[in-house]
Amino acid sequence: MNFDDPLIRMAMVLVSGIIGGELVGRIKLPKVTGWIGTGILLRMLDGYLTTSHGLKLGLDPDAVSTFGPYMNFVLGYIAFTVGAALHFASLQNTGKRLGLLLLCEALITPAVVFFSLFILGGMDTKPALLLSAIAICGAPGTTVLVVQEARARGILTRTLVAAVALIDMVAVGMFEFVYAFIRVPGGGTMSLQAGLVNVGTEFGLALAVGFTCAGLALILIRTVVGPAFVGPIMVAVILGSWGAARGMDVSGILACTFAGIAVSNLRHGTVRSTEAYLQSIGGVLFAAFYTFAGMKLDFSQVWPNLSLVLLFFAFRFIGKYSGAFIAMYFANATNAVRNFLGLALLPHGGVAVGLILLVQNDPTLSDHADVITTVGLAALAINQLLGPSGARFALNSVGESGKARPRLLDFLDEHRITVTVDGNTKQAVVSSLVDQLYATSDMPIEKEEFVRQVMKREASESTCVGHGLMIPHAILDADAKMEGVLGISRKGLDFRTPDGRPVHAVLLLATPENERERHLEILSAFAHLITHDENLCEQLYHARSAAHAYNVLHAEAAEEINYFLEEVLEEFRDPNPSKPNP
């Protein structure tokens, strides 16, 4: 049999990866860990058979290079998906957390890693600088896979998924700066200004490529392409962005990330079409990709550099954890996010592989390529073997695993909550909340008409229900989904109420005709909260941030009011329910 045929190699790698992932999944570890480990074993098996029996399976780095376009597409898809997660309207309450985290990632992680390699490990300056920049990289694909497998939802999950995209952009920028700085012909040095110009040019060209490809695709979708081909058009965006970027000698990862950002913020629904289109083959894409990634590591080069590998791994983790902890401390994040975000950032993935390969293929860095490749890939393999489990442990520890299921109050996500609502009149308060509603939701009627309907309803009968709660709303003559925002005032709003108490929470609801039943369920849930659970009520009314308010409403203690809808359906089917219907 001819094992040199690329399709046979692909089949062997794919089947092996699937088996490895399934076996690892049975012991409750992320499948990506099994894929990486399978790749490492395949390379070792190929070497053993070649040496001992003269049988070469072709499962070595040459096999990976054969599938270069495939690997590039999966990297581009990962970058596009993570860029699409940066829907700015949905991240408006996370800006402080993300900003501080990126600052700490850009300063603390590379500084800690450089110190360990240069001072403790005695590594030369150039490889130490490059590995320090590579250490910033996260693993968007791995992180998204772990989140999906864990069915996680919450503040840590939201921060993590948004952060990994931006962290990789910071890593690429830092790497490009260091890369340009040390590659000056003749062994000279580049000025700080020239290095910054180089990074700015890289980002500017990548942004232009990504936005151009995304813009052309959206024009086609509006004018020519039908709904059935939205997914394929987005695949073309990924391919075009990567190819055009490589043709201009800029980062394909950045270009695809910018393309995802453009599509998400210009036509958000298109992102879901793309994900749905590729979901059916997602197992093929990721299983083969990460198995191939594991095959890149040459263990014969690891043992002579084992001390450097361990230093890189250990101090990268120290940098990641301390940087995330410091950032979340100053961002006033919840204790759960502060304590576990650093652990969740441990995975190290595709972008780091791309940067290592860039060094490996540069003849001007041939003196340092071997040590960078060995240390970088060996530590990456350890991170990919342990990192997904660390991320899963973090999600489990903060109670966000299994929460990505429909719940009654799902529309009250963090970006639809504010804790600074204020106003002297109901009109002013409602108008401010309507602005937030329209900034974060696709509404079927004009803003002014919605405000008029809400205030007309308020004039006929006050929605101040007592106990500090007000629920202004309007019933929309449209076939849409329930939308709403929650405004919290810690000091209280001085409105006329049945019990004379100031209003601390204003729940603004936009209810379509087809959601009237859910509207009543939500009113019942909040009435139950304010009258039966004083502790939860006080936590909500005095929440320090939107994230704290979100945690109150989505915590286990609140499941009696913010229940999982599928559990309610099961109870209706069960003739002897274990607990009464909400």
Side-chain angles (χ1 to χ4, degrees):
M1 178 179 290
N2 181 12
F3 291 108
D4 290 335
D5 189 279
L7 294 182
I8 294 179
R9 288 180 177 177
M10 183 72 169
M12 294 170 64
V13 170
L14 179 59
V15 171
S16 300
I18 291 172
I19 294 173
E22 291 298 316
L23 292 176
V24 168
R26 291 183 180 181
I27 58 174
K28 307 302 182 183
L29 293 177
K31 290 182 180 179
V32 67
T33 301
W35 297 334
I36 292 284
T38 299
I40 295 173
L41 291 176
L42 285 177
R43 174 166 179 157
M44 295 173 65
L45 176 63
D46 182 75
Y48 170 75
L49 291 177
T50 302
T51 302
S52 302
H53 303 283
L55 177 62
K56 184 175 178 60
L57 299 177
L59 302 179
D60 53 26
D62 292 336
V64 180
S65 61
T66 302
F67 293 95
Y70 168 82
M71 299 289 284
N72 289 341
F73 171 71
V74 179
L75 272 176
Y77 172 55
I78 291 171
F80 179 89
T81 303
V82 176
L86 298 176
H87 184 230
F88 297 131
S90 302
L91 298 175
Q92 64 176 16
N93 283 329
T94 65
K96 186 177 181 181
R97 294 201 303 272
L98 292 177
L100 287 171
L101 179 60
L102 294 181
L103 179 62
C104 289
E105 281 290 323
L107 298 177
I108 295 177
T109 300
V112 169
V113 172
F114 179 78
F115 169 82
S116 70
L117 296 178
F118 182 70
I119 302 297
L120 301 180
M123 182 180 284
D124 291 343
T125 304
K126 288 184 178 181
L129 284 172
L130 288 170
L131 284 169
S132 299
I134 292 171
I136 301 173
C137 295
T142 302
T143 302
V144 170
L145 280 173
V146 171
V147 169
Q148 290 175 347
E149 284 187 7
R151 301 182 71 186
R153 176 187 290 165
I155 299 302
L156 176 63
T157 302
R158 172 179 291 273
T159 305
L160 177 63
V161 172
V164 289
L166 295 171
I167 286 173
D168 273 0
M169 295 178 72
V170 170
V172 172
M174 184 70 74
F175 181 87
E176 288 295 333
F177 176 76
V178 174
Y179 191 56
F181 207 79
I182 66 177
R183 288 175 67 245
V184 177
T189 59
M190 179 180 287
S191 67
L192 177 62
Q193 181 179 1
L196 293 175
V197 169
N198 188 78
V199 174
T201 302
E202 175 93 6
F203 271 71
L205 290 174
L207 186 147
V209 168
F211 272 55
T212 299
C213 291
L216 291 174
L218 293 178
I219 292 173
L220 289 175
I221 290 171
R222 286 181 177 274
T223 58
V224 179
V225 177
F229 284 90
V230 170
I233 283 292
M234 289 298 108
V235 170
V237 168
I238 297 170
L239 295 171
S241 297
W242 188 281
R246 294 296 296 271
M248 300 175 67
D249 197 27
V250 298
S251 171
I253 294 170
L254 279 179
C256 290
T257 301
F258 283 127
I261 292 173
V263 171
S264 181
N265 289 278
L266 295 176
R267 192 181 176 92
H268 190 57
T270 304
V271 175
R272 299 189 185 95
S273 300
T274 308
E275 292 174 345
Y277 177 75
L278 290 173
Q279 186 175 15
S280 60
I281 61 171
V284 174
L285 294 177
F286 291 118
F289 176 82
Y290 283 104
T291 305
F292 276 132
M295 291 165 55
K296 290 177 178 287
L297 183 61
D298 182 3
F299 261 97
S300 67
Q301 298 294 321
V302 171
W303 305 119
N305 296 285
L306 184 60
S307 60
L308 292 174
V309 172
L310 296 178
L311 281 173
F312 182 86
F313 170 77
F315 279 84
R316 178 181 178 271
F317 172 71
I318 293 172
K320 288 279 182 182
Y321 190 89
S322 59
F325 186 91
I326 293 170
M328 294 304 100
Y329 176 82
F330 285 104
N332 196 29
T334 60
N335 289 335
V337 175
R338 184 187 310 171
N339 293 333
F340 288 99
L341 178 59
L343 180 60
L345 289 172
L346 182 59
H348 204 198
V351 175
V353 173
L355 298 182
I356 291 171
L357 292 179
L358 181 62
V359 173
Q360 197 176 48
N361 296 328
D362 187 343
T364 65
L365 295 173
S366 58
D367 293 342
H368 308 293
D370 286 345
V371 68
I372 291 174
T373 301
T374 299
V375 174
L377 287 182
L380 183 142
I382 297 173
N383 277 305
Q384 282 289 42
L385 290 169
L386 301 180
S389 298
R392 173 74 71 84
F393 178 79
L395 295 172
N396 290 339
S397 297
V398 301
E400 295 187 3
S401 294
K403 295 295 179 67
R405 295 180 287 158
R407 299 182 76 171
L408 180 65
L409 303 181
D410 270 349
F411 63 91
L412 286 182
D413 216 329
E414 183 189 8
H415 60 288
R416 294 193 177 99
I417 301 175
T418 178
V419 296
T420 58
V421 67
D422 197 11
N424 296 322
T425 65
K426 291 182 179 179
Q427 175 85 35
V429 170
V430 168
S431 295
S432 67
L433 291 178
V434 168
D435 287 340
Q436 184 170 0
L437 176 66
Y438 273 71
T440 56
S441 310
D442 294 325
M443 298 294 292
I445 65 173
E446 295 295 324
K447 183 190 298 185
E448 293 74 15
E449 173 61 18
F450 180 73
V451 173
R452 188 190 69 78
Q453 291 189 29
V454 171
M455 295 312 300
K456 179 181 179 181
R457 171 70 180 78
E458 193 67 30
S460 65
E461 183 178 358
S462 175
T463 58
C464 294
V465 297
H467 296 276
L469 179 65
M470 176 182 176
I471 311 180
H473 57 271
I475 304 297
L476 307 181
D477 186 17
D479 187 12
K481 64 178 182 177
M482 171 76 72
E483 300 285 7
V485 293
L486 176 65
I488 295 172
S489 171
R490 299 181 70 182
K491 68 177 183 179
L493 303 170
D494 189 16
F495 297 154
R496 180 175 296 178
T497 60
D499 56 4
R501 291 182 58 179
V503 172
H504 287 281
V506 182
L507 177 64
L508 175 68
L509 296 175
T511 306
E513 284 285 353
N514 59 309
E515 290 270 29
R516 277 183 175 271
E517 184 176 346
R518 187 179 181 190
H519 176 87
L520 296 176
E521 290 176 347
I522 291 169
L523 297 183
S524 175
F526 269 86
H528 187 279
L529 169 66
I530 65 174
T531 57
H532 290 80
D533 199 323
E534 187 69 22
N535 182 43
L536 274 180
C537 185
E538 286 300 308
Q539 289 183 51
L540 181 65
Y541 288 178
H542 296 89
R544 302 191 306 273
S545 67
H548 286 84
Y550 176 92
N551 280 342
V552 171
L553 291 173
H554 291 77
E556 290 185 11
E559 285 185 9
E560 188 174 356
I561 62 164
N562 187 19
Y563 43 82
F564 293 102
L565 299 179
E566 60 189 41
E567 293 179 0
V568 175
L569 293 176
E570 290 173 1
E571 288 179 5
F572 278 121
R573 299 188 189 102
D574 187 350
N576 299 301
S578 58
K579 62 180 180 180
N581 282 327

